[in-house]
């Protein structure tokens, strides 16, 4: 048994959720916030058999694409303002950060 933890951008959340359901994966969705851009993310918890992990990873990869986005930086609070950039910058967002963890036991009541 494995636990796949996938952190995806909110923009990809519904597409990934639909694809997981279509492929008969059960997942729990949690709202989360990214630390770098402080933007909305969704964290998926997917319990699955070891043999199905590659399929789950393929579904995540196919539905969570990285893309460029203009972002207005947040001003520093109490920090050094010398390195603050006051105009929007283009950054890469999206994609997925995925952790695959071994599970000792799984119970569904």
């Amino acid at each position: 048994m494995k636990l796949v933890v996938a952190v995806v951008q909110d923009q990809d959340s519904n597409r990934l959720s639909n694809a997981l359901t279509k492929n008969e994966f059960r997942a729990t969705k949690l709202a989360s916030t990214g630390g770098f851009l402080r933007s909305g993310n969704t964290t998926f918890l997917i319990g699955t058999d070891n043999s199905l992990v590659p399929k789950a990873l393929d579904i995540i990869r196919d539905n969570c694409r990285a893309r460029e986005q203009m972002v207005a930086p947040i001003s520093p609070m109490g920090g050094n303002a010398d390195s603050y950039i006051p105009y929007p910058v283009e950054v890469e967002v999206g994609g997925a950060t995925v952790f695959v963890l071994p599970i000792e036991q799984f119970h569904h009541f």
Side-chain angles (χ1 to χ4, degrees), residues 18-93:
N18 292 337
L20 289 169
T21 301
K22 180 181 174 184
N23 287 277
E24 299 181 0
F25 282 96
R26 299 174 100 186
T28 298
K29 288 173 55 174
L30 304 171
S32 53
T33 303
F36 176 62
L37 296 175
R38 294 181 178 90
S39 61
N41 291 328
T42 301
T43 300
F44 287 84
L45 303 177
I46 308 161
T48 189
D49 291 326
N50 294 356
S51 63
L52 295 175
V53 170
K55 183 176 180 180
L57 294 175
D58 286 342
I59 293 168
I60 295 166
R61 185 180 300 109
D62 291 345
N63 288 279
C64 301
R65 300 283 180 189
R67 58 195 154 278
E68 298 293 320
Q69 178 177 318
M70 295 299 287
V71 178
I74 298 170
S75 65
M77 296 291 218
N80 185 354
D82 294 339
S83 62
Y84 175 64
I85 304 170
Y87 50 88
V89 293
E90 189 172 57
V91 296
E92 184 176 286
V93 298

Side-chain angles (χ1 to χ4, degrees), residues 8-24:
V8 305
Q9 189 179 33
D10 279 346
Q11 191 173 342
D12 296 325
S13 174
N14 287 335
R15 185 173 48 253
L16 177 58
S17 182
N18 292 337
L20 289 169
T21 301
K22 180 181 174 184
N23 287 277
E24 299 181 0

